[in-house]
């Protein structure tokens, strides 16, 4: 299933590094450290694919934080605006 994960650069590291409490303040430096590790990872692409396909909303996956992953997900096409119906005439 996740055979690629055994070859991940993060496999022997503390998972908390990749799941900071916040993306602000001290958490930001944690995110940057995690991304640095991801950029050298041999399975970065399948990791990112997994995160997107499984809807991971937290953590650094494939070198991207949640906001960066959201930007990669195609949004549904906008619904066309409704057209107001004209009032019926002729006593109906």
């Amino acid at each position: 299933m996740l055979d690629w994960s055994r070859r991940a650069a993060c496999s022997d590291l503390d998972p908390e590094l990749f799941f900071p409490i916040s993306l602000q303040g001290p958490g930001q430096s944690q995110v940057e450290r995690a991304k640095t590790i991801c950029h050298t990872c041999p399975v970065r692409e399948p990791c990112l694919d997994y995160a997107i396909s499984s809807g991971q909303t937290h953590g650094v996956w494939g070198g991207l934080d949640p906001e960066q992953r959201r930007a990669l997900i195609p949004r549904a096409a906008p619904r066309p605006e409704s057209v107001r119906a004209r009032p019926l005439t002729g006593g109906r």
Side-chain angles (χ1 to χ4, degrees), residues 11-61:
S11 63
D12 293 332
L13 299 174
D14 184 352
E16 289 188 22
L17 174 64
F18 297 86
F19 293 91
I21 292 172
S22 169
L23 298 179
Q24 308 298 317
Q28 181 60 37
S29 63
Q30 188 175 338
V31 167
E32 293 307 319
R33 283 194 316 257
K35 287 179 180 183
T36 298
I37 293 165
C38 291
H39 286 290
T40 65
C41 184
V43 294
R44 181 177 177 201
E45 190 172 318
C47 179
L48 180 58
D49 290 343
Y50 170 77
I52 291 172
S53 66
S54 64
Q56 299 298 316
T57 59
H58 301 289
V60 175
W61 293 82

